Amino acid sequence: CEYVSGGRIVLSPTGKITPYHDVNVIREAAKKGMTRALDAGMKKPLLVVENVVDFPDGQLVCIMGGLEAFYIPLQIRERQDTKNFIRIGLHAEEKQTEAFERIVRNAIALERSRIFARDIGGGDPERMAPAKIVEYVKKSFAEDHNNITIKVIEDEEIIAQEYPLLAAVSRAANRIDRHKARVVHIEYKSSNPSRVSETLMLVGKGVTYDTGGADIKISGKMAGMARDKCGAAAVAGFLKACSILKPPHLKVIGVLCLCRNSVGEDSYVSDELLISRSGKTVRVTNTDAEGRLAMADSVFMMSELALKELNPHIYTIATLTGHARACYGNYTA
């Protein structure tokens, strides 16, 4: 194409958009187009960001879809130089406006946070064992002391006392120091507390590897269970976004419930009666339902803290995909 710098243009259509589509069609088109450009050897791709009237956030999603194509897993980046481009350009008809510049800034901040979350969620069971996640989180937030505070609980006795259900899940893993449970508290505070109007309280499931425990996964179902920590990864990523964008109206408290559901002579088993932080007795019926146990004590702790917070909202984020698929199908899961 002689009218385009570099002589090449990649068209990535969404196809006909109907009322049944969501903004994901924009993301997919942008990602596929950028992937094709990189595969063709383009080093300075220019992404044309159209304003799709069907979706108010279409431009933001388009940019993030394009940026997604550049992601390279952490463990590959750590071994070799993997940069496959020189720079990225963004073009829009309204590129001179403050609104579009704000969209670009938000997209870059969100992508930085998403890379951080992907690195944790996609890391293998050893690279992102509980102890390694703690190191990575501390390193990532090292320059954010002004609005981010981090507290790590790793003492076995304290975890057994304050997070007894998490401690039960972690029992078989406790013989290996890097696999021992950790509870990571990350808090974002606005630089102007008087403007805070709500408090988000997030609990993330961080099972770094899920064997199923004594109710062990069979028939190849264990593969991929290193991603059972993506809930905790999402919480960490959200707080990373807060540290960059610095929303003045929010206070955010996040808890990463990090453990490994291993198999061993000290595994917790079905029929055990466990006493939770709240004092309620929990009967184990399947050790492969460890996610709710890993998070339950932290959720109760959040409910205690919420009594002192302004307009609190408590959320759990977890990869409970089996139940999600049963309820909503593969797309949602």
Side-chain angles (χ1 to χ4, degrees):
C1 179
E2 61 185 30
Y3 300 106
V4 178
S5 176
R8 290 177 290 185
I9 185 169
V10 176
L11 297 177
S12 186
T14 63
K16 183 179 180 180
I17 297 177
T18 73
Y20 298 100
H21 286 94
D22 62 21
V23 74
N24 194 51
V25 298
I26 305 297
R27 182 194 69 84
E28 289 180 349
K31 182 180 179 181
K32 288 178 180 178
M34 191 61 76
T35 300
R36 180 67 184 86
L38 293 174
D39 289 344
M42 297 183 188
K43 299 298 183 183
K44 301 177 184 178
L46 175 68
L47 178 64
V48 178
V49 185
E50 292 291 340
N51 188 5
V52 182
V53 295
D54 303 74
F55 308 111
D57 293 320
Q59 288 183 310
L60 174 64
V61 173
C62 179
I63 296 171
M64 294 190 67
L67 293 175
E68 190 175 341
F70 291 89
Y71 178 73
I72 296 173
L74 173 67
Q75 287 169 267
I76 296 177
R77 301 200 312 268
E78 289 178 331
R79 289 198 300 266
Q80 61 192 53
D81 181 12
T82 56
K83 188 174 181 180
N84 54 357
F85 67 98
I86 297 174
R87 63 174 176 265
I88 309 165
L90 299 171
H91 172 80
E93 292 181 1
E94 63 273 60
K95 63 181 179 181
Q96 300 296 329
T97 68
E98 183 179 342
F100 185 69
E101 291 177 358
R102 184 170 61 252
I103 289 172
V104 173
R105 287 197 301 270
N106 287 345
I108 293 172
L110 291 173
E111 182 60 17
R112 286 177 59 192
S113 306
R114 195 162 57 162
I115 289 171
F116 175 52
R118 283 198 197 110
D119 286 348
I120 296 173
D124 78 23
E126 289 301 321
R127 178 60 185 87
M128 285 298 168
K132 295 288 187 178
I133 292 177
V134 170
E135 291 177 8
Y136 195 62
V137 167
K138 286 182 175 179
K139 181 179 178 181
S140 178
F141 286 108
E143 298 179 359
D144 299 312
H145 293 305
N146 291 335
N147 53 17
I148 292 286
T149 57
I150 298 175
K151 176 184 176 183
V152 179
I153 301 172
E154 55 186 19
D155 184 271
E156 281 187 59
E157 292 185 3
I158 295 176
I159 290 177
Q161 180 179 352
E162 298 188 7
Y163 305 90
L165 301 184
L166 174 69
V169 175
S170 182
R171 267 187 353 219
N174 284 346
R175 295 181 181 276
I176 310 297
D177 185 67
R178 65 184 181 277
H179 293 167
K180 290 181 180 179
R182 269 80 170 171
V183 180
V184 183
H185 295 248
I186 310 174
E187 185 171 326
Y188 164 79
K189 289 185 178 180
S190 170
S191 57
N192 187 353
S194 64
R195 295 186 61 185
V196 173
S197 59
E198 60 182 322
T199 305
L200 298 183
M201 312 181 81
L202 311 175
V203 178
K205 175 186 174 183
V207 177
T208 59
Y209 200 73
D210 182 15
T211 67
D215 289 300
I216 198 164
K217 295 179 185 291
I218 60 173
S219 303
K221 301 298 184 183
M222 202 182 297
M225 287 299 107
R227 295 190 294 272
D228 215 10
K229 57 188 178 301
C230 285
V235 172
F238 184 85
L239 279 145
K240 184 64 178 177
C242 290
S243 74
I244 299 170
L245 295 172
K246 297 177 173 55
H249 66 292
L250 283 181
K251 177 179 180 180
V252 184
I253 303 172
V255 177
L256 316 184
C257 306
L258 306 177
C259 65
R260 177 173 168 131
N261 190 16
S262 293
V263 184
E265 60 188 10
D266 201 23
S267 295
Y268 83 117
V269 295
S270 295
D271 292 336
E272 280 193 44
L273 297 178
L274 307 174
I275 308 299
S276 69
R277 180 187 179 113
S278 70
K280 291 186 179 296
T281 301
V282 177
R283 180 173 179 264
V284 180
T285 59
N286 189 324
T287 63
D288 199 16
E290 83 296 332
R292 62 214 69 188
L293 296 180
M295 295 187 293
D297 294 317
S298 291
V299 172
F300 183 75
M301 178 204 67
M302 287 292 204
S303 71
E304 295 175 313
L305 294 177
L307 298 175
K308 302 177 182 179
E309 299 296 340
L310 178 64
N311 192 16
H313 304 270
I314 301 175
Y315 299 92
T316 60
I317 304 177
T319 46
L320 303 175
T321 49
H323 290 284
R325 289 175 63 186
C327 295
Y328 300 108
N330 289 338
Y331 178 81
T332 303

